[in-house]
Amino acid sequence: MTDRVHPSAKTTANGGPKPTFPAAKSQLSGANRPTYRPQPPRRRSRGCLSTLCCYLFMILLLLLLLICGAGTVLYFLYHPQRPSFSVTSLKLSYFNLTSPSTFYAKFDLTLSTTNPNDKILFSYDPTSVSLLYDDATIATATIPSFLHHQKNTTVLEAYVTSTEEEVQSDTVTELKRSTKGKSEVALKVKLETKVEAQMGVFQTPGVGITVLCDGIDVSLPDGEKPASASVENTACEVDVRFKVWKWTVG
């Protein structure tokens, strides 16, 4: 019997079968490896945003420094001073407390204001005038707008009246109690307005100003004769209020 020869069998030089070797690891893994595709560069949005914020902050800081510098220069050039106020006279021409819960009165008020600056002109908006009893408003009036020139004293007059709707019943009751058996009543004068300062070609925005005059003793009228107030001991305090955005600095 003869031996069968398989054509697929490979032999070596000495007649033995040729050994087979497994495929290399690089060849096996390379068959399934995905194709490399370079990623596009990322946008630096955060870096740009932070840079923009830094530029805006520097611009705002520069503007603030310029404003402070200009304000300092104007202060040393003009030496601004607050205006002063005083009550010249206050007369009570009519006073009615006969009814249980109503009050009606008429006052003639004269004030004077002085501008101590020699280079600054004040421009006043309409001024609200209030007469206060125990911090409650009992009469009101309005003084029209006016210009207050340098080194000048201006006289202001107001006809101040009260109505039944303006005065609360609790205030009327307390006012009756305090004036019972007395010939005078203590009142305060309050002014509220806005003023602009003109310094050469420069003009400031409107600044809130409040004036409170205390120590006024008003005599009660006897019959139809008006009664005058004692204003010798009156002291007026001027409060200037600067409004920065939503905050008020006084």
Side-chain angles (χ1 to χ4, degrees):
M1 184 177 61
T2 60
D3 296 331
R4 293 183 180 179
V5 179
H6 297 279
S8 61
K10 296 181 180 180
T11 59
T12 59
N14 54 6
K18 186 177 180 180
T20 58
F21 298 95
K25 186 176 181 180
S26 59
Q27 296 177 352
L28 293 176
S29 59
N32 298 324
R33 179 181 298 175
T35 305
Y36 173 75
R37 295 180 181 177
Q39 298 294 329
R42 296 181 179 179
R43 296 181 180 178
R44 298 180 178 178
S45 57
R46 294 183 178 178
C48 295
L49 182 60
S50 60
T51 304
L52 179 61
C53 291
C54 291
Y55 280 129
L56 290 177
F57 176 76
M58 294 298 294
I59 292 174
L60 291 177
L61 182 60
L62 180 60
L63 290 176
L64 182 61
L65 291 175
L66 290 176
I67 292 173
C68 292
T72 303
V73 172
L74 291 176
Y75 178 82
F76 284 105
L77 285 177
Y78 294 96
H79 299 285
Q81 301 180 50
R82 295 181 180 183
S84 61
F85 291 80
S86 61
V87 178
T88 304
S89 67
L90 178 62
K91 294 181 180 181
L92 179 58
S93 58
Y94 185 79
F95 188 80
N96 185 5
L97 272 175
T98 55
S99 57
S101 60
T102 59
F103 165 75
Y104 188 75
K106 298 178 181 179
F107 299 89
D108 293 323
L109 175 64
T110 304
L111 302 127
S112 63
T113 174
T114 301
N115 181 3
N117 303 278
D118 56 357
K119 297 180 181 180
I120 301 177
L121 170 71
F122 290 132
S123 176
Y124 287 86
D125 287 353
T127 303
S128 173
V129 182
S130 301
L131 285 180
L132 308 179
Y133 170 76
D134 196 20
D135 295 331
T137 302
I138 61 173
T140 58
T142 301
I143 297 176
S145 58
F146 64 96
L147 292 177
H148 200 181
H149 294 276
Q150 301 88 335
K151 290 291 184 179
N152 177 267
T153 298
T154 301
V155 177
L156 307 174
E157 295 181 348
Y159 185 64
V160 191
T161 60
S162 63
T163 62
E164 297 178 2
E165 291 79 10
E166 293 176 350
V167 184
Q168 298 180 359
S169 59
D170 294 341
T171 303
V172 175
T173 302
E174 181 62 28
L175 188 59
K176 285 182 178 181
R177 185 182 297 110
S178 63
T179 56
K180 188 175 182 180
K182 297 182 181 180
S183 59
E184 60 182 19
V185 59
L187 299 178
K188 299 178 184 178
V189 175
K190 185 178 181 180
L191 309 177
E192 291 181 307
T193 185
K194 284 187 176 182
V195 59
E196 298 176 355
Q198 298 180 7
M199 298 170 284
V201 297
F202 300 99
Q203 181 173 347
T204 65
V207 176
I209 182 173
T210 302
V211 181
L212 185 62
C213 302
D214 197 0
I216 304 174
D217 295 324
V218 183
S219 300
L220 300 179
D222 184 11
E224 297 182 357
K225 184 179 180 180
S228 300
S230 175
V231 296
E232 289 80 5
N233 299 324
T234 303
C236 295
E237 181 180 355
V238 180
D239 183 19
V240 181
R241 295 181 172 270
F242 300 93
K243 192 170 184 180
V244 182
W245 199 7
K246 296 182 180 181
W247 296 275
T248 303
V249 181

